[in-house]
Amino acid sequence: MLDFAESNWLLLLFFALGFILPRIPVVGKFFNVINTALHEFGHALMALITGGSVDKIELFNDTSGTTTTKSNSKFGAFLVSLAGYPFAASVAWLAFYLIGQGAEKGLVIGLTALFVLMLLFWIRNWYGVVWVVLFSAVNGVLLYYGDASYLHYAALFYAAVVLAESISSSITIVVLAFRDGNKAGDATNLAKLTHLPAFLWALLFLAYTGWVSYRMVLMLL
């Protein structure tokens, strides 16, 4: 079990890595897709919970993604559009909680199993398929050959990436929504469904991500 209070420097280091490494051209985008995949799964999961269906999920090399779903009601479509950002941010909180409980191996296995499940049922575009295969292969090597320290650092890095990208993407959608409410992704979809401005939904995403981040800071300290 990790004693976060005695490891603040390590947490800061991995958060910095989680923010910086995904921004390295080409290779860095591979890491960004972890958050993208979680975001898209949030949409898919909510579609299933509300009685809808999932047609496909696509992950792209520019770190964007799309989830095509069918909903049985306007309220269902609303919840599906709402789910992506909060789900990814919540997974970041869960990841750090699991690490704090010494469940790094469970976190790595869980992420890998989730993405493989997405591949089996919904991911069909070539980049998405290649990404899941590579991510799973890396984790397979870690789980088979790596010792506890390698799994610990991998889990910390994945958690840091999801947290950093949740914060970054929430800020980005706020900027996009204020610039042009018709080009703000999920916030735009919610604006069309509710007739409320896209920037309000974008601010709601940012507020939730900020609240989760605050709760994580309290937990880690």
Side-chain angles (χ1 to χ4, degrees):
M1 182 181 296
L2 176 65
D3 184 349
F4 285 125
E6 296 178 359
S7 307
N8 289 339
W9 67 270
L10 188 62
L11 291 170
L12 290 173
L13 172 62
F14 273 89
F15 182 77
L17 289 174
F19 184 82
I20 295 171
L21 289 185
R23 283 154 182 78
I24 297 175
V26 184
V27 177
K29 291 182 178 180
F30 177 86
F31 301 112
N32 286 54
V33 180
I34 298 173
N35 183 71
T36 303
L38 291 171
H39 177 107
E40 299 307 329
F41 181 75
H43 291 309
L45 179 62
M46 185 56 71
L48 297 176
I49 290 174
T50 55
S53 61
V54 182
D55 291 336
K56 64 179 179 179
I57 292 176
E58 295 178 295
L59 306 174
F60 302 107
N61 60 1
D62 62 354
T63 74
S64 65
T66 61
T67 300
T68 304
T69 64
K70 294 179 181 178
S71 297
N72 296 325
S73 65
K74 184 177 180 180
F75 184 64
F78 165 77
L79 292 177
V80 170
S81 295
L82 189 65
Y85 287 95
F87 182 82
S90 297
V91 170
W93 180 89
L94 176 62
F96 279 108
Y97 174 79
L98 290 174
I99 293 170
Q101 297 301 309
E104 293 91 341
K105 185 175 182 179
L107 174 60
V108 173
I109 292 175
L111 285 175
T112 305
L114 174 60
F115 296 150
V116 169
L117 181 70
M118 292 170 64
L119 175 62
L120 292 175
F121 285 96
W122 304 306
I123 296 176
R124 294 294 179 267
N125 69 309
W126 73 268
Y127 183 82
V129 171
V130 170
W131 183 85
V132 172
V133 170
L134 288 176
F135 184 83
S136 301
V138 169
N139 287 335
V141 171
L142 284 172
L143 290 166
Y144 190 78
Y145 293 104
D147 58 22
S149 63
Y150 285 104
L151 287 173
H152 176 70
Y153 293 139
L156 268 178
F157 177 67
Y158 293 156
V161 166
V162 177
L163 174 59
E165 287 306 301
S166 293
I167 295 171
S168 176
S169 60
S170 296
I171 294 173
T172 298
I173 198 172
V174 169
V175 173
L176 291 174
F178 273 102
R179 286 179 177 175
D180 187 345
N182 293 317
K183 297 180 180 179
D186 294 343
T188 298
N189 293 335
L190 289 165
K192 292 178 180 178
L193 288 166
T194 63
H195 304 294
L196 295 173
F199 70 82
L200 289 180
W201 294 109
L203 288 172
L204 179 63
F205 291 144
L206 180 59
Y208 181 79
T209 301
W211 179 78
V212 170
S213 300
Y214 170 71
R215 297 301 302 176
M216 277 192 287
V217 169
L218 294 181
M219 178 182 68
L220 300 179
L221 296 180

